[in-house]
């Protein structure tokens, strides 16, 4: 099954090449647009904007997984009806093939190009800081894990939808609300408790917080901010990145590992839901119909 799913992705060269091309081209474009962000308040805002666009891009790019699910749905239903294989190996093989070739590799290429061009920690105009390079690796890992989780989410939503159009609409709405509750468009301090609980279910939220903590928490780079005091502008230097984390509503007691662990568990949970929907959503009805026909 895994080889079949791999061949299925490779036989759609337009989808594979477009994902790879978008990862490289958009990584270059956004990296040049945010090139060498300064260690100032506008620079911090640009960092947040870059992270926000990164996650929105690969969140909506995950909708391309819906097309393959519906292209193979008829064959999958027949195979499951006649017990050629169960839902578990089908979901596993498709997740590995799709997420490796169309999610992980393109998102990884985007991250590898975008990070140094933007001049995030470890990369700046003065050179490369070897001690901060682990933050670069963590950033790439967060981007890949988030892209994979969103791809699995799209395939799960496709498995419970009657048509590709319905699945695309449903997935778009889900991604939009995840973005809305991610902590960038609405400050978490102004959210009611019920909304905060929903926020914790958003992969976007955990990926965004992990990126912010990776860049700003315990940052070796001092920041400088210009403020107006009694009618005159003064510069406050040697500010720690935690100052901006507090303004963003990011829990400073949390760690990058905690958010990444939650994101990993969410990915596994979505894969389990996808397996359940594949095994029990339409297959029993299809078996009943087959019995009536026979």
């Amino acid at each position: 099954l895994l080889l079949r799913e791999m061949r299925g992705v490779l036989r759609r060269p337009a989808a594979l090449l477009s994902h790879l091309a978008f990862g490289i081209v958009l990584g270059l474009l956004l990296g040049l647009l945010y090139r060498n962000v300064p260690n100032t308040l506008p620079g911090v805002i640009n960092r947040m904007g870059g992270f926000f666009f990164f996650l929105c891009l690969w969140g909506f790019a995950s909708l391309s997984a819906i097309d393959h699910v519906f292209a193979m749905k008829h064959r999958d239903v027949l195979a499951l009806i006649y017990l050629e294989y169960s839902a578990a190996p089908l979901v596993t093989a498709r997740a590995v093939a799709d997420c490796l070739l169309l999610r992980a590799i393109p998102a990884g290429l985007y991250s590898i190009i975008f990070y140094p061009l933007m001049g995030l920690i470890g990369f700046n105009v003065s050179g490369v800081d070897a001690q901060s390079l682990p933050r670069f690796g963590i950033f790439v890992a967060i981007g890949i894990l988030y892209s994979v989780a969103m791809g699995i989410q799209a395939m799960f939503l496709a498995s419970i939808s009657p048509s590709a159009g319905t699945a695309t609409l449903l997935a778009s709405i889900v991604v939009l609300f995840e973005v809305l509750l991610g902590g960038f468009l609405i400050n978490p301090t102004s959210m009611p408790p019920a909304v905060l609980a929903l926020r914790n279910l958003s992969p976007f939220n955990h990926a965004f917080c992990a990126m912010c903590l990776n860049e700003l928490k315990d940052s070796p780079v001092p920041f400088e901010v210009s403020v107006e005091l009694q009618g005159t502008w003064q510069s406050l230097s040697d500010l720690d990145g935690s100052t901006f984390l507090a303004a963003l509503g990011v829990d400073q007691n949390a760690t990058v590992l905690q958010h990444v662990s939650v994101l990993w568990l969410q990915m596994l949970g979505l894969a389990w839901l996808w397996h359940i929907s594949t095994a029990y959503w339409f297959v029993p009805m299809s078996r009943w119909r087959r019995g009536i026909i026979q």
Side-chain angles (χ1 to χ4, degrees), residues 181-245:
L181 300 176
F184 185 76
L185 297 179
I186 302 178
N187 194 287
T189 57
S190 64
M191 294 181 182
V195 177
L196 281 174
L198 290 175
R199 175 176 177 257
N200 291 325
L201 297 176
S202 169
F204 185 100
N205 165 55
H206 293 288
F208 183 74
C209 289
M211 287 183 172
C212 291
L213 288 169
N214 184 59
E215 177 66 18
L216 297 175
K217 187 176 181 180
D218 300 326
S219 171
V221 179
F223 292 88
E224 181 179 344
V225 177
S226 296
V227 296
E228 185 179 5
L229 297 174
Q230 298 179 348
T232 60
W233 285 92
Q234 299 182 19
S235 294
L236 302 178
S237 57
D238 297 330
L239 291 177
D240 188 74
S242 59
T243 305
F244 305 102
L245 290 174

Side-chain angles (χ1 to χ4, degrees), residues 165-181:
T166 303
T168 302
L169 176 62
L170 177 60
S172 299
I173 293 173
V174 170
V175 173
L176 279 174
F177 271 94
E178 289 175 347
V179 171
L180 181 65
L181 300 176

Side-chain angles (χ1 to χ4, degrees), residues 7-22 64 67 101-102 106:
R7 287 195 296 266
V9 175
L10 294 175
R11 286 170 182 169
R12 297 181 296 146
L16 178 60
L17 294 177
S18 62
H19 280 74
L20 295 175
F22 285 148
S64 65
D67 179 63
L101 298 176
L102 299 181

